[in-house]
Amino acid sequence: EFNRTQRPGFIQVSMSYKPGAPTLVVPISAAEELRQKFVCDQCGCRYSSLGAAFFCPACGRNSAENTFSQAIEAVRKSLAALPAIREAVQAYSGADAAENTVREIVENSLARTVGAFQRVTEALFERVPGSRSIHRRKNVFQSIAEGSELWRVTIGKRYDDLLTPAEMADLTRFFQQRHLLAHCEGIVDQEYITKSGDQTYAVGQRLVVRVEAVHRTVNLVSKLTNELRKLV
């Protein structure tokens, strides 16, 4: 409304809002279920995090490749701990808060899985001779289509050479769901339906991320990462 009421002139002012990641507040007993532990392969520093941590806080090493498996395992651990987390939050804040917390953990787990894949593929891509001379946009490996094309250009293999058609369809849909959560607060738009091929939603509906979908995403990015490692 503010932007529409502005009149043309020498100086113009506009306002915009971009939602950030929601703050997840859980009891200490539940938070411990989400803690990840890491050991830097360069300086030996031991550290822990309640989210993704791809850089050593002591020496700054980008340990994305070495911590990928740990990050994926942490997501699995978080999903396995959901019943205990639900129970702890319900006792502390009630049933509604417990369900909201579980939903946010599931959605955050999807985002963490995509983030872990992005970081590890960036690290693997750097191994390819001449890859640094290839222009690529920031966060390109969050896109299945664009990331796949980059690998085709550099090593002659696309993601669909490494995954089955069904696996590619699922992975594309799950990555599009992460994009929707990050940029549209989970509200389905036509772009999501077109790019994901997901016909189970109508424009304007709120996305529902299932635990099974996150498990499937974890398994698919693990398989794809292992296949890419063999090629570089």
Side-chain angles (χ1 to χ4, degrees):
E1 182 65 30
F2 177 85
N3 292 340
R4 290 200 299 269
T5 59
Q6 297 303 295
R7 296 180 179 179
F10 182 73
I11 298 177
Q12 290 185 302
V13 179
S14 65
M15 296 178 63
S16 63
Y17 167 72
K18 183 177 181 180
T23 300
L24 184 61
V25 180
V26 297
I28 293 177
S29 58
E32 287 304 313
E33 298 285 350
L34 304 175
R35 187 175 300 278
Q36 305 175 45
K37 296 181 180 180
F38 304 93
V39 179
C40 177
D41 62 340
Q42 181 162 295
C43 71
C45 173
R46 297 177 180 272
Y47 56 100
S48 65
S49 169
L50 293 181
F54 295 105
F55 294 87
C56 173
C59 70
R61 174 171 169 75
N62 179 356
S63 54
E65 187 175 349
N66 292 321
T67 59
F68 172 74
S69 296
Q70 292 174 297
I72 290 301
E73 188 58 34
V75 169
R76 290 192 173 110
K77 178 182 176 183
S78 296
L79 297 179
L82 285 178
I85 293 171
R86 178 185 280 109
E87 182 178 353
V89 176
Q90 184 168 336
Y92 187 81
S93 302
D96 289 344
E99 291 307 315
N100 285 335
T101 298
V102 167
R103 175 182 57 80
E104 290 180 5
I105 290 173
V106 172
E107 293 178 355
N108 288 342
S109 294
L110 179 62
R112 288 165 61 191
T113 302
V114 174
F117 177 77
Q118 174 197 343
R119 293 296 187 185
V120 75
T121 47
E122 286 173 348
L124 291 173
F125 193 76
E126 290 291 325
R127 289 188 187 179
V128 180
S131 62
R132 295 190 178 186
S133 65
I134 298 176
H135 174 74
R136 60 185 189 272
R137 69 171 180 83
K138 184 179 180 181
N139 298 331
V140 66
F141 290 110
Q142 289 181 4
S143 166
I144 293 298
E146 292 183 65
S148 179
E149 180 61 18
L150 273 177
W151 285 107
R152 184 197 66 79
V153 170
T154 52
I155 65 174
K157 293 285 187 180
R158 293 169 49 91
Y159 292 161
D160 52 11
D161 294 318
L162 308 174
L163 299 176
T164 68
E167 289 172 335
M168 279 294 296
D170 284 350
L171 196 61
T172 298
R173 184 171 69 258
F174 299 145
F175 270 56
Q176 286 298 321
Q177 289 182 354
R178 188 236 41 109
H179 181 85
L180 203 65
L181 290 168
H183 301 287
C184 302
E185 297 186 313
I187 304 302
V188 173
D189 57 15
Q190 187 58 50
E191 181 181 9
Y192 166 77
I193 295 173
T194 300
K195 289 186 175 181
S196 69
D198 189 351
Q199 300 297 320
T200 62
Y201 289 97
V203 172
Q205 283 186 286
R206 176 56 162 80
L207 186 70
V208 177
V209 180
R210 307 292 183 187
V211 172
E212 296 77 15
V214 182
H215 277 301
R216 175 72 165 162
T217 309
V218 165
N219 292 337
L220 290 176
V221 298
S222 297
K223 176 180 178 179
L224 185 53
T225 299
N226 288 335
E227 293 299 322
L228 290 172
R229 279 178 173 144
K230 296 175 185 177
L231 298 173
V232 297

